[in-house]
């Protein structure tokens, strides 16, 4: 389970909650320019643009959960359960394994417009990284400061949807979320007028009553509504600290607390980490479930023409400031 978010307030920000019942040995990974990706289709891909994001690194290969490139284009994969697995490779198409998808798009595209062109000939197939690392069924959100799209796969190829909300969660498919949000068009940040009856005066008893009915549970449909409502009504100053704090506040509103979501195998889903990337400046901010403090890695403070991956282990230990 996950929630992805894009937000522009002077600078452009992209990030997500990653909700799982386990850690996947994630680290902040920077892929420099011209890094060699040996694709499963037999070809070799060298990225034009450097990337920063959260990844599991196996044998010097960054398996990204999400990333942003040096041009400000962001992409994230979100769990998409209960859907058919990826199809077999298809002759005549540009076959790409899902684990290659994020670096393949971000490595060569500087905008959503360019990504649309690359996606036209792309086929996401069912070839895993290895026998020990099977594929997880995902759908994807891609965003820049001007537009946002969602990509979902089918047996007939990729489905591409415009995303006017800049928010994405999980199953059901994206068209469902576009329809479901219509049920909440009455919500307001202001206290609403009394429509209960014309002959009786019913007064509000507190602030925020215009948003009664805003979902608060952990389901993907509810998280989509709540994150969209908070994002579309977000107001904060344009300085960096205010934007980063605001972004994390929105993600915090839909995070999973240990014990609140029990999986079918009797484990607990939690928000293992949250990230906010200033895509305009290449700064990757994150916090983990156990460490609420914000850590940051700046893409542009590294040698982006280096020959090897640059990896930063996560700060997972909570640090408390005592005042007495």
């Amino acid at each position: 389970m996950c929630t992805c978010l894009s937000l522009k307030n002077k600078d452009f920000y992209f990030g997500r909650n990653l909700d799982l019942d386990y850690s996947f040995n994630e680290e902040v990974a920077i892929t420099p320019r011209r890094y060699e990706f040996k694709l499963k289709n037999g070809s070799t891909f060298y990225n034009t643009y450097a990337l920063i994001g959260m990844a599991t690194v196996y044998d010097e290969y960054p398996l990204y959960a999400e990333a942003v490139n040096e041009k400000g284009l962001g992409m994230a994969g979100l769990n998409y359960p209960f859907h058919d697995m990826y199809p077999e490779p298809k002759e005549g198409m540009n076959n790409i394994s899902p684990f290659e998808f994020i670096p393949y798009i971000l490595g060569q595209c500087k905008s959503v417009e360019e990504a649309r062109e690359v996606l036209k000939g792309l086929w996401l197939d069912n070839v895993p990284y290895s026998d020990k690392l099977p594929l997880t069924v995902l759908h994807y959100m891609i965003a820049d400061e001007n537009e946002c799209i969602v990509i979902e796969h089918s047996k007939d190829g990729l489905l591409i949807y415009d995303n006017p909300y800049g928010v994405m969660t999980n199953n059901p498919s994206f068209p469902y979320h576009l329809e479901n949000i219509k049920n909440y068009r009455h919500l307001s940040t202001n206290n609403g007028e009394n429509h209960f009856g014309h002959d009786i005066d019913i007064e509000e008893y507190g602030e925020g009553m215009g948003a009664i009915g805003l979902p608060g549970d952990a389901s993907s449909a509810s998280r989509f509504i709540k994150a969209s409502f908070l994002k579309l009504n977000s107001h904060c100053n344009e300085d960096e600290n205010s934007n980063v704090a605001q972004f994390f506040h929105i993600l915090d509103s839909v995070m999973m607390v240990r014990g609140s979501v029990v999986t079918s195998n009797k484990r607990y889903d939690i928000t293992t980490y949250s990230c906010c990337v200033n895509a305009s400046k290449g700064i990757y901010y994150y916090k983990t479930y156990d460490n609420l403090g914000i850590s940051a890695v700046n893409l542009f403070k590294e040698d982006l023409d280096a020959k090897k991956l640059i990896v930063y282990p996560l700060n997972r230990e909570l640090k408390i400031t005592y005042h007495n």
Side-chain angles (χ1 to χ4, degrees), residues 79 94 117 128-129 173 191 202 238 260 295 299:
N79 198 25
N94 184 11
E117 291 301 311
Y129 179 82
S173 61
N191 287 329
I202 302 178
E238 293 182 345
S260 64
S295 302
L299 174 67

Side-chain angles (χ1 to χ4, degrees), residues 16-29 53-58 62-66 270-275 284 286-290 311-316:
R16 59 102 60 81
N17 284 344
L18 193 136
D19 308 318
L20 276 177
D21 58 355
Y22 61 91
S23 170
F24 56 95
N25 299 317
E26 61 271 23
E27 301 174 295
V28 179
M54 195 72 77
T56 301
V57 178
Y58 284 96
L63 302 173
Y64 279 109
E66 85 288 321
I270 62 170
T271 299
T272 60
Y273 73 85
S274 303
C275 68
Y284 187 99
Y286 74 88
K287 59 181 182 176
T288 69
Y289 189 88
D290 292 316
V311 178
Y312 286 91
L314 299 193
N315 293 323
R316 298 183 182 274

Side-chain angles (χ1 to χ4, degrees), residues 130-187:
S130 69
D131 293 338
K132 294 181 179 180
L133 292 174
L135 295 174
T136 299
V137 182
L138 305 173
H139 57 181
Y140 303 84
M141 187 169 111
I142 304 177
D144 59 26
E145 64 178 0
N146 297 313
E147 59 178 324
C148 179
I149 58 176
V150 168
I151 299 97
E152 296 178 341
H153 69 89
S154 73
K155 61 182 178 61
D156 298 317
L158 296 182
L159 305 172
I160 303 172
Y161 304 100
D162 292 329
N163 183 352
Y165 299 101
V167 171
M168 191 58 210
T169 55
N170 310 102
N171 187 69
S173 61
F174 189 62
Y176 169 87
H177 293 291
L178 293 179
E179 286 299 309
N180 183 51
I181 204 167
K182 296 176 182 178
N183 293 317
Y184 299 89
R185 64 186 301 271
H186 63 282
L187 296 182

Side-chain angles (χ1 to χ4, degrees), residues 4 16 201 207 282 290 301:
C4 188
R16 59 102 60 81
D201 183 23
E207 301 298 332
D290 292 316
K301 288 189 176 181

Side-chain angles (χ1 to χ4, degrees), residues 59-280:
D59 297 325
E60 297 301 310
Y61 198 110
L63 302 173
Y64 279 109
E66 85 288 321
V68 169
N69 70 16
E70 61 181 287
K71 296 299 182 180
L73 183 66
M75 182 173 179
L78 291 82
N79 198 25
Y80 192 43
F82 314 121
H83 285 266
D84 292 336
M85 197 57 179
Y86 303 98
E88 294 285 335
K90 187 174 183 180
E91 187 176 353
M93 297 291 288
N94 184 11
N95 292 283
I96 295 293
S97 174
F99 76 84
E100 303 164 335
F101 194 25
I102 290 178
Y104 189 79
I105 293 296
L106 296 186
Q108 63 180 309
C109 301
K110 62 178 181 290
S111 66
V112 172
E113 181 179 6
E114 288 190 1
R116 288 182 189 271
E117 291 301 311
V118 174
L119 290 167
K120 286 180 180 179
L122 213 57
W123 184 266
L124 285 186
D125 60 36
N126 62 359
V127 181
Y129 179 82
S130 69
D131 293 338
K132 294 181 179 180
L133 292 174
L135 295 174
T136 299
V137 182
L138 305 173
H139 57 181
Y140 303 84
M141 187 169 111
I142 304 177
D144 59 26
E145 64 178 0
N146 297 313
E147 59 178 324
C148 179
I149 58 176
V150 168
I151 299 97
E152 296 178 341
H153 69 89
S154 73
K155 61 182 178 61
D156 298 317
L158 296 182
L159 305 172
I160 303 172
Y161 304 100
D162 292 329
N163 183 352
Y165 299 101
V167 171
M168 191 58 210
T169 55
N170 310 102
N171 187 69
S173 61
F174 189 62
Y176 169 87
H177 293 291
L178 293 179
E179 286 299 309
N180 183 51
I181 204 167
K182 296 176 182 178
N183 293 317
Y184 299 89
R185 64 186 301 271
H186 63 282
L187 296 182
S188 172
T189 57
N190 300 312
N191 287 329
E193 296 181 5
N194 173 31
H195 298 288
F196 191 85
H198 296 295
D199 298 328
I200 187 170
D201 183 23
I202 302 178
E203 297 181 354
E204 64 271 12
Y205 54 80
E207 301 298 332
M209 295 181 66
I212 288 178
L214 180 66
D217 62 88
S219 68
S220 58
S222 293
R223 284 183 284 110
F224 185 92
I225 299 301
K226 188 169 187 179
S228 295
F229 180 83
L230 295 178
K231 174 199 167 173
L232 294 175
N233 292 292
S234 172
H235 177 77
C236 74
N237 295 331
E238 293 182 345
D239 63 279
E240 182 73 349
N241 286 352
S242 296
N243 278 323
V244 172
Q246 185 79 345
F247 198 99
F248 277 117
H249 280 311
I250 296 173
L251 289 179
D252 287 347
S253 75
V254 290
M255 74 170 293
M256 292 187 182
V257 177
R258 182 178 283 115
S260 64
V261 179
V262 182
T263 65
S264 58
N265 59 358
K266 305 303 180 183
R267 296 167 63 94
Y268 298 120
D269 260 347
I270 62 170
T271 299
T272 60
Y273 73 85
S274 303
C275 68
C276 165
V277 191
N278 183 325
S280 304

